[in-house]
Amino acid sequence: MKDIFQISKLLIKKKLKVITDSEKLELKDFKAKYSFLKDIKVDQLIDKVDDLSEIDNKKAWKSIKEKYQDRNEEPVISIAKKPWFKYAAASIVVAFLSTTFFLHRNIVSKQSVEISPEVVKNNIESFKPGTDKATLTLGNGESIVLGKGTSVQTHNAKSSGEKIVYESNKSNVSKTEYNYLTIPRGGQFSIQLSDGTKVWLNSETQLKFPVAFVEGETRQVELVYGEAYFEVSPSTAHKGAHFEVYNMNQKVEVVGTEFNIKAYNDESNIYTTLVKGKVNVEIEKKKQKLVPNQQLNLDLKNNTSIIKTVDVYNEISWKEGVFSFKGKSLKEIMRVISRWYDVDVVFENKKLESLEFKGSLDKKQSLKEILSIMKSTTINSYEIKDKTLVIR
């Protein structure tokens, strides 16, 4: 196992061009010892990792910056859109390389922990990653199914199948008509409201919003349940009208900003994370101000709230096509997995619920791939029964 970590580190350091002469010799020796290494695609290895904790990140960043002279500072959030940043912000996920290692060499020692093979009663390949899909409910109660490859036009909105865009207010509106956008399990969608505000909606989410906002009045929407990322059109563009997001337990007052709210019905906490700008979170008529990189955690069971600084990327990576898990329990992670792959999860071994899995996963990966990674690092085995994933 020690070899696996070291090979991974050396392969990535070579890619970053920060490998030393002595390390080159060490890697050469490894390649002579393990012939399968010549078939390893380092880009695939790095795509499955999250944080190069053992590599000199300053040297790594310097190497990257020499290739991208126009960038003056280290990026903060956008690793999903700039693949080269993955090389400077990754950590070894042993599953990818260790699987290849063991398959090619068959060198699992008798002292190794024996991992039971998974039992698959149903075809796990049938559990596909989520897609762009939603149901739009109009003011008259009519429902319209939205999805990738399907174009829809209403009297005030149009959808390309990946998002829906509402027309800008053309005149002063005196009566407010509300629509609902509902995202099922295994789905995601985005919407541009009539004021220009953009909202990304995660799986199992519902948003209530006006077809058009009344000019000069506070712009209000309701996150009925689920998770949404808001990029709010500033109040300066709407005669000073602020923007507010409600749910049954809190209200978020916005001037012009980007933030994320996670408020699922099956969770006892609501998380409001500020990316940039400023917001006030009102709970039982008490307002609390957030600054960028802060998160307010409202505990519904104890009726308490706490504000702390967080790694924003871990909280909003879902909208960039990435699951980023740091400091999350397996129980929390499986909630996310269940929503995206539309599969129920049961822990047969309750002790596993509190274990932590640290890493980043591509939302386009199959459920089988993700479980293989976790099986190599966290869980012992799993079984598929109908639409239920049993973790052992």
Side-chain angles (χ1 to χ4, degrees), residues 158-180:
K158 59 182 178 181
S159 172
S160 63
E162 297 179 7
K163 67 178 180 179
I164 185 167
V165 177
Y166 278 74
E167 296 178 357
S168 301
N169 292 4
K170 295 181 179 179
S171 59
N172 190 24
V173 178
S174 58
K175 185 178 179 181
T176 303
E177 176 188 349
Y178 288 95
N179 285 182
Y180 289 82

Side-chain angles (χ1 to χ4, degrees), residues 17 21 63 73 258 282 284 293 303 317 335 384 389:
K17 297 182 179 179
D21 289 340
S63 172
E73 59 182 354
E258 295 183 31
E282 183 177 322
E284 296 182 344
N293 302 314
N303 196 30
S317 62
R335 283 201 193 107
I384 299 291
L389 170 63

Side-chain angles (χ1 to χ4, degrees), residues 13 36 39 44 57 87 107 189 193 230 252 254 307 316:
K13 290 186 77 171
F36 76 90
D39 298 322
Q44 290 184 9
N57 288 320
Y87 300 130
I107 59 170
F189 218 75
L193 302 176
F230 294 84
V252 178
V254 184
I307 295 175
I316 69 168

Side-chain angles (χ1 to χ4, degrees), residues 81-228:
K81 294 186 177 180
K82 293 180 172 59
W84 52 264
F85 180 66
K86 294 179 184 178
Y87 300 130
S91 84
I92 311 292
V93 173
V94 182
F96 176 76
L97 189 56
S98 62
T99 301
T100 309
F101 187 83
F102 290 131
L103 286 176
H104 281 76
R105 299 298 298 172
N106 192 26
I107 59 170
V108 181
S109 68
K110 294 181 180 179
Q111 290 75 31
S112 300
V113 177
E114 184 176 347
I115 299 177
S116 304
E118 65 268 34
V119 179
V120 183
K121 290 190 175 180
N122 293 68
N123 185 8
I124 194 172
E125 302 294 346
S126 65
F127 295 96
K128 303 294 184 183
T131 59
D132 296 307
K133 57 184 176 182
T135 298
L136 175 67
T137 305
L138 305 180
N140 61 7
E142 179 186 356
S143 294
I144 301 173
V145 177
L146 307 176
K148 195 168 185 178
T150 303
S151 297
V152 173
Q153 177 77 55
T154 70
H155 70 282
N156 49 27
K158 59 182 178 181
S159 172
S160 63
E162 297 179 7
K163 67 178 180 179
I164 185 167
V165 177
Y166 278 74
E167 296 178 357
S168 301
N169 292 4
K170 295 181 179 179
S171 59
N172 190 24
V173 178
S174 58
K175 185 178 179 181
T176 303
E177 176 188 349
Y178 288 95
N179 285 182
Y180 289 82
L181 192 62
T182 305
I183 318 301
R185 294 213 310 179
Q188 63 181 11
F189 218 75
S190 62
I191 179 173
Q192 181 172 310
L193 302 176
S194 64
D195 67 337
T197 292
K198 298 177 182 178
V199 189
W200 288 261
L201 303 173
N202 208 346
S203 301
E204 204 169 10
T205 295
Q206 186 176 81
L207 181 72
K208 178 183 178 182
F209 58 94
V211 171
F213 295 98
V214 178
E215 187 177 6
E217 293 187 8
T218 299
R219 298 165 287 156
Q220 297 178 342
V221 301
E222 180 183 356
L223 181 61
V224 182
Y225 57 82
E227 183 169 24

Side-chain angles (χ1 to χ4, degrees), residues 208-303:
K208 178 183 178 182
F209 58 94
V211 171
F213 295 98
V214 178
E215 187 177 6
E217 293 187 8
T218 299
R219 298 165 287 156
Q220 297 178 342
V221 301
E222 180 183 356
L223 181 61
V224 182
Y225 57 82
E227 183 169 24
Y229 182 92
F230 294 84
E231 187 177 299
V232 178
S233 178
S235 58
T236 53
H238 303 282
K239 298 185 177 180
H242 287 197
F243 191 95
E244 294 180 348
V245 181
Y246 284 89
N247 64 37
M248 67 174 66
N249 297 289
Q250 67 176 33
K251 177 177 72 176
V252 178
E253 296 179 327
V254 184
V255 176
T257 190
E258 295 183 31
F259 60 99
N260 191 83
I261 300 178
K262 183 179 179 183
Y264 281 103
N265 287 336
D266 60 351
E267 296 187 24
S268 59
N269 295 73
I270 296 176
Y271 302 92
T272 304
T273 308
L274 183 59
V275 179
K276 65 180 181 180
K278 58 182 179 180
V279 299
N280 290 317
V281 182
E282 183 177 322
I283 304 168
E284 296 182 344
K285 297 184 179 181
K286 179 183 177 182
K287 292 183 179 181
Q288 300 181 68
K289 182 179 179 180
L290 296 184
V291 299
N293 302 314
Q294 283 190 335
Q295 179 184 82
L296 187 146
N297 178 354
L298 173 59
D299 187 329
L300 300 177
K301 286 184 177 180
N302 300 319
N303 196 30

